[in-house]
Amino acid sequence: GGDGHIIDTEGKMSIPVIKSIVDPESLSEDKFTIYRSGSLESAQSVVTTLTKELAKATFDAKKKERVPHLLGAVIDSFRVTSEITQKGISDDGHASKQFAVEAALWRTFLSTMAPKMLYMPMALFLVNHMTEKESSTGWGKVKDHGGGQALKYHISYSFLLQRIASVSNKSN
């Protein structure tokens, strides 16, 4: 068995959206959960809870029978703000340069969780959207993702997915 979890920080995901991405026949709705997360803290709490539940299901000595289990979790998007930042924006009426704080909180969280996840039958995917911004030299635009270029976690891969063309399905 296995479970799929999406920790949605942008309010975009739904079962129909997921079914449009993956084979609808292979997606069992009773094995798939979408968590709506409005802050960095709540997203991290969901990951912690899922990890603890998987550890209990996988390694609990009290269980007489172990069922092979795989957990897949996706956090979309990695750029969720903390509750403190959200309160500051609400109080001040504007945002400030806080993203470095959020990036550090994710780095600390993941470096703490990595040893706990190391031997778990799980995959954790973090979506960090690329953005286009002005070059520091003032000449043109550059693509960048929040938190800089460093991948500082136990095992990290970076995939660049972008639309290069639209395909229409015309049937005669």
Side-chain angles (χ1 to χ4, degrees):
D3 294 329
H5 301 275
I6 288 192
I7 302 150
D8 179 20
T9 65
E10 299 176 330
K12 297 189 302 188
M13 288 296 163
S14 66
I15 295 294
V17 169
I18 301 303
K19 283 186 173 183
S20 73
I21 297 169
V22 299
D23 176 23
E25 300 300 318
S26 66
L27 181 65
S28 173
E29 290 184 32
D30 63 325
K31 291 289 190 175
F32 193 84
T33 309
I34 297 175
Y35 300 91
R36 303 286 181 213
S37 179
S39 69
L40 176 142
E41 293 86 352
S42 65
Q44 290 179 353
S45 292
V46 171
V47 172
T48 300
T49 300
L50 292 173
T51 304
K52 285 179 180 178
E53 288 176 1
L54 181 62
K56 188 174 181 182
T58 306
F59 302 115
D60 189 359
K62 295 175 188 170
K63 286 196 166 203
K64 294 184 182 188
E65 184 179 327
R66 299 212 194 298
V67 177
H69 198 84
L70 175 65
L71 171 74
V74 177
I75 300 177
D76 185 18
S77 161
F78 198 42
R79 288 188 172 197
V80 63
T81 56
S82 67
E83 292 170 1
I84 292 170
T85 299
Q86 291 175 20
K87 183 176 181 334
I89 292 169
S90 179
D91 292 349
D92 300 341
H94 60 85
S96 61
K97 292 187 176 192
Q98 272 299 105
F99 190 74
V101 171
E102 270 87 14
L105 291 171
W106 275 115
R107 184 178 51 79
T108 303
F109 173 76
L110 292 171
S111 62
T112 302
M113 291 300 292
K116 296 173 184 174
M117 297 176 176
L118 187 58
Y119 298 105
M120 299 279 211
M122 70 180 293
L124 177 65
F125 300 92
L126 306 168
V127 177
N128 191 5
H129 299 285
M130 294 203 76
T131 58
E132 199 170 89
K133 62 183 185 180
E134 290 294 322
S135 164
S136 60
T137 63
W139 296 93
K141 295 186 182 276
V142 294
K143 288 187 176 182
D144 188 24
H145 42 87
Q149 301 296 324
L151 296 172
K152 299 178 181 178
Y153 309 118
H154 182 68
I155 298 175
S156 298
Y157 297 95
S158 181
F159 298 96
L160 175 59
L161 304 174
Q162 62 188 44
R163 182 184 305 189
I164 57 172
S166 294
V167 177
S168 62
N169 186 4
K170 294 181 182 179
S171 56
N172 295 346

